[in-house]
Amino acid sequence: TTDTGWFRFSNTTSEALRACATLVESGADVREVAKHLFEERSYAATKLMGRALGSLEVACEGRLVWANLTREDFGDCQATDEETEGIVNHLKGVRGSEVAVLFREDAQGKVRVSLRSESQVDVSKISHLFGGGGHAAAAGCTLALSLPESQETILGAVRERIEALEGAPGVTSEKR
């Protein structure tokens, strides 16, 4: 369910749905699985989410949203990087956003970057520029730059791609 975005992504196949049907027929408790995967998070992860949402910013008429988490945020919340799971997806949920980026400063001073796209912006192309990986809708990389330098670098690359799409044939850009 996570790989298919709870059956919302284009990789939702009949094979994936049949596998889930088999699990339910075998006694899997769908409600309990959903609760565990999508509704529960630790106290530290919840505090960390609040920090990230408190740093939320937008650009490109709301088409680009981002947030950051500093080393201090992790320390204050007594949280680990694993507890950032899902935060970038909340950013992506901002109405009108097409690309969401979460910047996470690690203990060594590097910045881990998570990118998500709901548009024709292929975030894997951005992450590959910086040694990362992923696919068109979800990608990431790690930069050996300060948090402000990482934001300038990545956000500049995202802005370039959003602006390049604005004039492309067959691409519409609604303000939301």
Side-chain angles (χ1 to χ4, degrees):
T1 62
T2 57
D3 286 350
T4 63
W6 204 245
F7 311 114
R8 297 176 318 210
F9 300 160
S10 62
N11 65 342
T12 302
T13 63
S14 57
E15 182 181 348
L17 294 169
R18 273 193 291 281
C20 289
T22 299
L23 290 170
V24 171
E25 289 165 355
S26 298
D29 184 339
V30 174
R31 174 69 192 124
E32 191 61 32
V33 170
K35 180 180 175 187
H36 177 71
L37 288 175
F38 302 109
E39 296 174 14
E40 293 179 344
R41 59 179 45 246
S42 70
Y43 176 74
T46 304
K47 284 187 70 164
L48 199 61
M49 168 121 34
R51 292 285 181 101
L53 295 176
S55 73
L56 186 67
E57 296 191 50
V58 299
C60 299
E61 297 180 337
R63 295 170 69 189
L64 168 59
V65 299
W66 73 92
N68 61 67
L69 291 167
T70 65
R71 285 180 278 194
E72 291 78 20
D73 292 327
F74 284 98
D76 292 348
C77 296
Q78 297 180 2
T80 64
D81 192 64
E82 290 78 31
E83 290 170 299
T84 65
E85 185 69 34
I87 292 176
V88 71
N89 295 324
H90 282 278
L91 305 180
K92 186 178 70 167
V94 172
R95 185 176 293 123
S97 68
E98 295 178 17
V99 178
V101 185
L102 178 63
F103 297 92
R104 304 178 325 267
E105 194 176 37
D106 72 16
Q108 291 74 40
K110 293 182 180 177
V111 176
R112 298 187 62 183
V113 182
S114 296
L115 301 114
R116 299 292 183 272
S117 178
E118 287 286 331
S119 73
Q120 294 180 4
V121 175
D122 181 342
V123 292
S124 71
K125 290 181 179 176
I126 296 166
S127 70
H128 287 139
L129 289 173
F130 306 102
H135 54 83
C141 60
T142 301
L143 303 176
L145 300 170
S146 70
L147 184 57
E149 291 169 324
S150 295
Q151 289 176 319
E152 183 179 335
T153 300
I154 297 294
L155 297 175
V158 174
R159 280 186 183 104
E160 283 178 18
R161 279 154 181 82
I162 288 174
E163 290 167 4
L165 286 176
E166 288 176 354
V171 177
T172 59
S173 173
E174 296 179 17
K175 281 190 177 182
R176 299 168 216 238

